[in-house]
Amino acid sequence: MSDLMEPPVDVEQMSLRDYAEKAYLDYSMYVILDRALPHVGDGLKPVQRRIVYAMSELGLKATAKYKKSARTVGDVIGKFHPHGDSAAYEAMVLMAQNFSYRYPLIDGQGNWGSPDDPKSFAAMRYTESRLTAYADVLLTELGQGTVDWQPNFDGTLDEPTVLPAQVPNLLLNGTTGIAVGMATDIPPHNLTEVVAATIHLLDSPKASVADLCAHIKGPDFPTEAEIITPAAELNALYETGRGALRVRAAYHIEEGAVVIHALPHQVSGAKVLEQIAAQMQARKLPMVSDLRDESDHEHPTRLVLLPKSNRIDIDAVMSHLFATTDLERSYRVNLNVIGVDGRPAVKSLVTILSEWLVFRKATVKRRLTYRLERVERRMHLLEGYLIAFLNIDEVIRIIREEESPKPILMETFAITDVQAEAILDLKLRNLAKLEEMKIRGEQDELAAERDTLEKTLGSDARLKTLIKRELKAVAEQHGDARRSPLAVREEAKAFSELELASVDPLTIVLSEKGWIRAAKGHDIDPSSLSFKSGDCFRFSALGKSNLPTVVLDSTGRAYTLPTHQLPSARGQGEPLTGRISPPSGATFEGLLTGSETDRFLLASDAGYGFVVQFGQLQAKNKAGKAVLTLPKGARVLPPAVVTGAAEPFVVVATNEGRMLVFPLAELPEMSRGKGNKLIGIPSARSASREEFVAGLCVLAEGDMLQVTSGGHYRNFKWSELEHFRGDRGRRGSKLPKGYQRVTRLTVVE
C-alpha cells in the first residue's frame, strides 16, 4: 500500500507557497515587461509595436490604400499578440486619434471617436486604416540589421524586440500604463523641442536637466489648452521623473461672451457643459445667464458662456469654473520606462535621452555595419563578374562542356564559391559588352561608399554628425510648432457660498433670551416683531447679507455667524446656542455687523475699553474667541459704532451722573485685551459696584447727544457738551439734577 502512495519519479513537488510566489512573480514580470510599460528605444508597448509591425508587413504604408481594420487586428492577434481582439483594436484606435496622440501612428478612415467621447469609435469591421508618414520614422531601418528579433508566441514567425526609432518617440507621444506594483504616465512633447534637446545632449554629454529644459519648455499636448505649472516645478519633474502638471482651458472674450476654444487633454466638452449647467441649476452660478455649445467641424471646441451683464468680473467667474470643473485638470507624471538594460525604472529627462542616444548609436552602428557587409559582399560578386566578362569565351566553354562547371571555374580563375555560384546564375542578356562598364562604375561607387562607412564606423565624431543630421532631417519633415502654450496664471479660486449669495439689506434682531433672526430691509421696527412667550427685543443691527454678524457675550467672547444663513424674521428665529457654543450661564451683550475695516468701541462697565476692527472680532469656530478682558465683577457694555468722522469723540457716563467727553484718538486700537481707562471711577466705589459706567457712545463734532435717565431724557447740543470735555481717564463733570441716574446715551441725528 505504501508503494502506491509514493509519487511517480518524474513528478516535481513544490510547496503551495513557493508555487504561488513563483507564479505571481512570473505574471508580474510579464505584465511589466510585455504589456504595460514602454521601451525607451521606440517608446512603444508590445501591443503597439506589434500593431505597427503587422501593418508594415501588410504593406499599409502612408502611400498605400486603406484596408479594413479587422484585417490588421486579425494579423496582430493571430501572429504576434495572443489576446482579445477588442484590446488590440482599442490600442490601435488610440494611435489613430489626433486628440490622443501628439503624432499619430495610424491614419484612420471612418469613425475613430471624438474628443467628447473617445470610446465612441465604430467597430473594426467598419473602419479602415493605414500607417501615417510619421510611422516611417519607426520602421524605415527595420530591415537593415538594426534590431534583434524574437520568435512569436508559437515560434512560427519572428518579430522585432524593439523598433529602430529615429527620434525619441517615448517623449513625443507619451503613454500611460498600469503594471503590477508600478505604473507609468508620460506626457507628450514637441518633436522640434525634443530633437533640439537631444542634439544638445549629444554635443554636451554632461548637460543638466536645466540645460535641456532650455530646449524642452514642457510637455506639449495635442490641444491648445494652457500649461500653467511653474517652470521650477517642471524642472523638478524632469529632474526626479515624478510630479504633476496643471492644464487649464483657453478662452477669449467675443462680443461680451466668454468663448472657450481649447480644453485640457482628454477632457470632454459635453461633460464640462454638464458640470457648468448643474451649477447654474443649483443657483451656484448666478452671474451666468446662458450656456451654448457651438462646436462644429471648423471649431471642434467652442463653448460659449454669456454673463448676465457687462459688470460681471469674467476673470473671477472663470477662476471659479477652473476650480470646480474639468476646465482645469491635473495630470500625474511618472517617467517609468524599460531601459536599454531591460529593467523598468523611473528616469530623469537626462537619463531618458542619454539612454535613447545609447540605443540610437547602437542602432546606427548596426545599420552601417549591415550596409558595409552588403557593400563588401556586392563588391566581391562584382570582382567575379568582371573576371567572367574578361574571360567570357572560356567561361562559356566550361559551362557548355563540363559536367560540374563550378569547381572548374573556381580552379581556372581562382575565384570563390560565392563568385562561381553568381557567375552560373547570370542571365544571358547580362553578358553584353556594356556590362563591363556598368560593373566598373558600380565598383567605384561601392568603393567610395565602403570608405565612407568605414570612416564613420571608426570615428565617434562622424557618427555623432550622422545622428545629428538624421535627427534634423526628421524634425524638418515632421516637426511643428508648439500647441500647448506655457502661461503663468494665478491659482484658481472657487466662489464661496457667501460670494454666491445675493447682496440684500437686512436687519438682524436678537432677543433677550438669545433668539436670532434677520428681516429683509432696513425699515423694520424690531420691537414690533412677535417674540416667544417670556421673551422680548434686546438688540438689532443694520447690515447686508454678504457681511458676517458678530455676537458678543457676557464673558467678553465674540462669535461669528454667516448673515445670509440666519433664519427669516417671518418666524421667531432660532436660538443662538444651536449655532455657537458659549460658556454655561453666559448671556449675549452685543450684536455687530459690518465690513472688515469697520471699527467699534468695546468697553466694560468698570470704565476700561479700546477700539477694535470688525475683522479682528471674527472667529471660525463655534467656541468663538476671547476679545474683551473683564476686571473682577465688571460687565460687558454694548459695543459702540465708531463713526466715519475725521475726529470722533467718546462720551462716557456713570450711574452716579458723571459724564466725560474726550477724543477717540486717545484710545488705543487693539485686537483683544482690557483696554485703557475711559473715565475715572474711585477704586473703592468700583469694587463695591456703587459706581459703574451706565452708558457710552461715539459721536462726531456737531452731533446732538440724548441722555436718558429713568423715564425721561434730555438732548444736549454740541456747545453744551463743552462743559464735559476733558482728558481720557478724568473724573468727568456732574450732569444736571434729574439726569444723574443715567441709563442710556444716544446720538441724535
Side-chain angles (χ1 to χ4, degrees), residues 99 136 164 206 256 303 371 430 439 442 542 626 634 680 744-745:
F99 50 84
D136 287 343
K206 294 184 179 180
L303 311 181
R371 178 57 184 167
N430 293 334
I439 290 171
E442 188 177 354
L542 302 180
R744 188 170 74 247
L745 300 180

Side-chain angles (χ1 to χ4, degrees), residues 272-335:
V272 169
L273 287 173
E274 288 178 8
Q275 292 172 335
I276 298 175
Q279 292 193 34
M280 293 174 66
Q281 290 176 356
R283 298 183 178 179
K284 292 183 178 180
L285 210 57
M287 58 288 295
V288 177
S289 63
D290 194 15
L291 177 67
R292 299 193 300 269
D293 183 2
E294 297 182 357
S295 304
D296 54 24
H297 182 70
E298 292 185 4
H299 305 94
T301 301
R302 185 177 168 86
L303 311 181
V304 181
L305 281 72
L306 195 64
K308 279 193 173 179
S309 74
N310 56 9
R311 297 187 301 273
I312 298 295
D313 186 348
I314 291 178
D315 290 338
V317 173
M318 293 306 297
S319 179
H320 168 77
L321 292 176
F322 291 142
T324 57
T325 69
D326 285 345
L327 287 176
E328 181 175 320
R329 188 169 177 180
S330 292
Y331 297 86
R332 183 180 58 186
V333 177
N334 185 18
L335 306 181

Side-chain angles (χ1 to χ4, degrees), residues 12-26:
E12 179 184 359
Q13 286 188 317
M14 182 184 295
S15 69
L16 181 60
R17 175 180 177 177
D18 292 342
Y19 173 78
E21 181 179 356
K22 181 179 182 301
Y24 187 71
L25 284 175
D26 290 346

Side-chain angles (χ1 to χ4, degrees), residues 10 45 130 166 204 207 274 327 343 345 370 397 399 445 470 472 489 498 547 555 621 653 671:
D10 59 347
K45 300 178 188 179
R130 64 185 178 188
Q166 294 177 313
S204 306
E274 288 178 8
L327 287 176
R343 297 172 178 269
Y370 177 81
R397 187 195 66 77
I399 293 173
E445 291 176 4
E470 292 176 348
K472 290 178 181 177
R489 303 294 185 197
L498 187 63
L547 300 177
T555 67
N621 54 13
S671 61

Side-chain angles (χ1 to χ4, degrees), residues 62-123:
T63 55
K65 290 184 178 180
Y66 293 95
K67 279 190 179 179
K68 287 289 187 183
S69 301
R71 173 74 182 277
T72 299
V73 172
D75 267 30
V76 170
I77 64 176
K79 294 180 179 179
F80 308 112
H81 198 69
H83 294 274
D85 59 343
S86 60
Y89 184 50
E90 286 189 17
M92 184 177 173
V93 167
L94 195 67
M95 292 190 289
Q97 293 175 338
N98 57 9
F99 50 84
S100 295
Y101 260 44
R102 183 64 177 83
Y103 300 96
L105 296 172
I106 294 174
D107 177 13
Q109 185 169 263
N111 179 12
W112 290 82
S114 66
D116 276 345
D117 187 6
K119 299 285 187 180
S120 63
F121 51 85

Side-chain angles (χ1 to χ4, degrees), residues 42 44 48-62 105-106 130-147 149 160 162-167 169 360 363 367:
D42 59 8
L44 300 177
Q48 297 169 330
R49 186 179 302 118
R50 288 162 176 164
I51 290 170
V52 172
Y53 174 65
M55 292 183 75
S56 71
E57 288 296 287
L58 286 170
L60 297 177
K61 295 298 178 83
L105 296 172
I106 294 174
R130 64 185 178 188
L131 293 171
T132 60
Y134 172 76
D136 287 343
V137 174
L138 306 178
L139 295 165
T140 299
E141 301 174 357
L142 187 59
Q144 301 177 24
T146 49
V147 294
W149 295 73
V162 64
L163 298 181
Q166 294 177 313
V167 288
N169 183 63
R360 183 59 185 161
T363 302
R367 186 189 79 206

